[in-house]
Amino acid sequence: MKQPFKDKAVSTLYIIREKIHNSLPKVKSFIGKNIILLLAIIAAIISCCFVPPNENYSTYINYKTICTLLSLLLVTRAMRSIKMFRTIAFKILQKVHTTRQLAIILIWLPTLFSLFLTNDIAVLTFVPFSMVLLKIANQNELSPKIIPLQILGANLSGMVSPLGSAQNLLIYEHMGVGPNWFITNLYPIAIAGYLLLIIMTVTVKNKQIEPIVETKRKIPWVKYVIYSLLFLICILAVLKVIDIYYTTLAVVICVLLLDPKVFKKTNYSIIIMFTSFFILVGNLSSIPEIKNAIETAVSGNEYYITVGLSQVIFNTAATLLVYRFATNYVALAAGVTVGKFGTFFASMSYFMAYSMYQSSTHDKILVKKFFRNLILYNLLFFVVTFSTGLLVVLL
C-alpha cells in the first residue's frame, strides 16, 4: 500500500512543480508591469509598522481625487467596451488621403482627448487603436514615429487641464484652485511643447493612401448617449459644478445597470497606487523628524525635486511623495508636468505603450526603432519643457 501512496505523492509534487514553473512567466510579467504599484503597497505597509493604524488614517486619503479617478476610469472603460472612441476616430479618418494627414489625426486625437480623459487613459485608448489602424492602412513603418508622439502629446495636455493627468487631479483638489489655474500659470511650457509637437508631426513623410473605411456595425445609441452624459457630468464635477460623490454614485449605478462587466475589465491600479501613497505620505507626515527633513528639502526646490524624482520612480510616485510638503504650487505643478518627460521611467504611459507595442509587433526592427524614438523624442521634449519651466519658476 505504501508504494502507490508514494507514487501518488510524487505525482502530486510533480504537478505542483509544473504549475509553479508554468506560472512563473506570468508572475514575472505581472511584477514587471506593476513594479511601482507593488513597491507603493509594500512601502505603505512598512510605514504602518512605524505608525500603527489610528483615527488619523481616514484623513490621509483625498477622497475627491479617488472618486474622480474611479468615475473617469469606469466611464471611459464603458465607452471603450462599445468601441465609442473607435467609431469617432473612424468617422474622422474617412477624410484622410495622405500619411501626413493620418499622422496629424493619430497624434492629435489623444493629445486633445487627454484634456478630458487624463494622459494614461488616452494612451490606453488610442495606442492599441492606432496600431490596428496603421496595420489596416499598410503604414506599419510609421508606427515607431507616430505612437511615441501620441504619448508625448497626451502628456503635454497636463499643462493646461486639471483633467490632463491623475497627478493634476490630485494637486487641483489639494490646492483648491480654479480649473483655469493650470493654463494661466503654465501656458509658456504648453506653448513650447505644442510647438515642438507640431514641428515633429509635420516632419512625417507625406504620401497618398487610400481612405480608411470602417465596416458597418450596429451602434448601441442608448449607451452612446448615456455614457456621453456621464462623461459630461464627470467634467462638471471636476469643474465643481456638480458634487463628485453624487457623480460617482450615478456612474456606478448606470454602469452596473448597463454593463456590469465593465467593473471587471477596469484597471484599478492607479487608484490602489494613489491610496498606498496617501497612506505612506500620511504616515511620514506623522513622524516629526521625517516631516521636518522632507519639508526642508522640498521647500523652495519643488520644481527640481519633482522633476528629478520623476526620472527614476515615475511621475505619479514623485508627485504623491512631494505634494503635501510643497509651498510653491506653481513650481510643483511645473515640476509635475515637466517630470513626465526625460527617461523611460518618467511616466507610466511609456512603459504601458512599450509593453503594448512589443507584444503586438513581431518585427524586431520596428520595436527597436520605436524604443529608440521614444527615448530620443522624450529627451528632446524634456530639454524644451524643462528650460521653459525653469523660466516660469524663476520669473
Side-chain angles (χ1 to χ4, degrees):
M1 294 295 292
K2 291 183 178 180
Q3 187 63 33
F5 177 79
K6 183 179 179 181
D7 291 342
K8 187 176 181 180
V10 171
S11 178
T12 302
L13 288 172
Y14 178 79
I15 293 171
I16 293 172
R17 190 187 71 175
E18 284 298 306
K19 286 184 177 180
I20 293 173
H21 179 75
N22 293 333
S23 63
L24 280 177
K26 293 181 180 179
V27 173
K28 288 180 180 178
S29 176
F30 175 81
I31 293 174
K33 292 178 180 178
N34 299 277
I35 185 66
I36 296 298
L37 171 63
L38 295 173
L39 289 175
I41 294 172
I42 293 169
I45 293 172
I46 292 173
S47 72
C48 292
C49 298
F50 295 94
V51 183
N54 55 63
E55 64 276 3
N56 292 329
Y57 270 52
S58 60
T59 64
Y60 291 169
I61 300 171
N62 189 317
Y63 295 103
K64 288 186 176 180
T65 300
I66 296 297
C67 285
T68 304
L69 283 172
L70 178 62
S71 300
L72 285 170
L73 286 171
L74 289 174
V75 171
T76 52
R77 191 64 190 83
M79 288 175 164
R80 287 173 60 194
S81 69
I82 57 173
K83 298 181 179 179
M84 189 169 173
F85 298 119
R86 184 186 179 94
T87 301
I88 294 170
F90 263 112
K91 294 295 181 184
I92 298 171
L93 292 171
Q94 287 174 4
K95 309 296 182 181
V96 170
H97 300 286
T98 68
T99 52
R100 188 167 294 165
Q101 289 175 347
L102 179 64
I104 290 170
I105 290 173
L106 289 182
I107 292 167
W108 286 88
L109 268 177
T111 302
L112 296 175
F113 267 84
S114 62
L115 291 171
F116 312 101
L117 294 176
T118 80
N119 61 320
D120 289 338
I121 294 175
V123 168
L124 286 171
T125 301
F126 286 100
V127 167
F129 165 75
S130 298
M131 289 190 290
V132 172
L133 198 65
L134 288 167
K135 187 175 181 180
I136 293 172
N138 294 316
Q139 300 298 327
N140 260 351
E141 71 275 6
L142 295 177
S143 61
K145 180 165 187 173
I146 287 178
I147 295 175
L149 291 175
Q150 281 186 313
I151 306 163
L152 294 167
N155 285 348
L156 279 172
S157 295
M159 300 182 186
V160 293
S161 168
L163 280 166
S165 69
Q167 301 90 299
N168 277 25
L169 284 172
L170 172 64
I171 59 179
Y172 173 70
E173 290 293 343
H174 178 68
M175 293 186 298
V177 295
N180 63 335
W181 185 89
F182 289 91
I183 184 64
T184 301
N185 289 281
L186 305 181
Y187 71 90
I189 312 174
I191 290 173
Y194 284 131
L195 282 175
L196 179 57
L197 186 64
I198 291 171
I199 293 169
M200 297 295 288
T201 302
V202 297
T203 58
V204 174
K205 291 181 181 179
N206 198 28
K207 58 181 181 180
Q208 292 291 319
I209 59 171
E210 292 294 324
I212 301 167
V213 182
E214 184 183 23
T215 54
K216 289 186 178 181
R217 64 183 184 88
K218 188 177 180 181
I219 296 176
W221 288 110
V222 173
K223 289 185 177 180
Y224 267 47
V225 172
I226 292 175
Y227 291 154
S228 297
L229 288 173
L230 287 175
F231 183 62
L232 177 61
I233 290 171
C234 287
I235 294 175
L236 291 175
V238 172
L239 298 177
K240 300 177 182 177
V241 177
I242 301 174
D243 185 84
I244 185 58
Y245 299 116
Y246 290 128
T247 298
T248 305
L249 182 61
V251 169
V252 169
I253 291 173
C254 289
V255 173
L256 188 63
L257 293 174
L258 292 172
D259 193 354
K261 291 181 180 179
V262 166
F263 288 95
K264 186 178 179 180
K265 295 176 181 178
T266 301
N267 187 339
Y268 302 99
S269 60
I270 189 71
I271 292 178
I272 299 171
M273 183 191 299
F274 265 60
T275 304
S276 299
F277 272 109
F278 281 141
I279 294 171
L280 172 63
V281 175
N283 284 335
L284 292 176
S285 301
S286 299
I287 303 173
E289 295 81 5
I290 294 178
K291 180 183 178 182
N292 292 335
I294 296 176
E295 281 182 342
T296 302
V298 170
S299 182
N301 299 304
E302 291 89 347
Y303 182 68
Y304 309 103
I305 288 180
T306 307
V307 173
L309 283 176
S310 296
Q311 305 309 306
V312 291
I313 62 170
F314 293 111
N315 182 248
T316 303
T319 305
L320 286 163
L321 285 172
V322 172
Y323 86 102
R324 273 202 177 195
F325 307 99
T327 54
N328 186 336
Y329 290 135
V330 172
L332 172 66
V336 167
T337 54
V338 173
K340 295 172 190 171
F341 306 102
T343 69
F344 184 71
F345 301 101
S347 173
M348 288 291 291
S349 56
Y350 306 137
F351 190 80
M352 292 188 300
Y354 180 70
S355 297
M356 287 187 286
Y357 191 84
Q358 189 179 39
S359 61
S360 63
T361 306
H362 302 294
D363 191 328
K364 292 183 178 180
I365 295 176
L366 287 181
V367 173
K368 286 181 179 179
K369 285 183 179 179
F370 173 87
F371 186 75
R372 181 197 65 193
N373 288 346
L374 185 61
I375 298 301
L376 291 176
Y377 296 169
N378 228 322
L379 290 173
L380 179 59
F381 273 80
F382 178 77
V383 170
V384 171
T385 57
F386 180 80
S387 55
T388 312
L390 193 59
L391 291 175
V392 169
V393 173
L394 293 176
L395 301 177

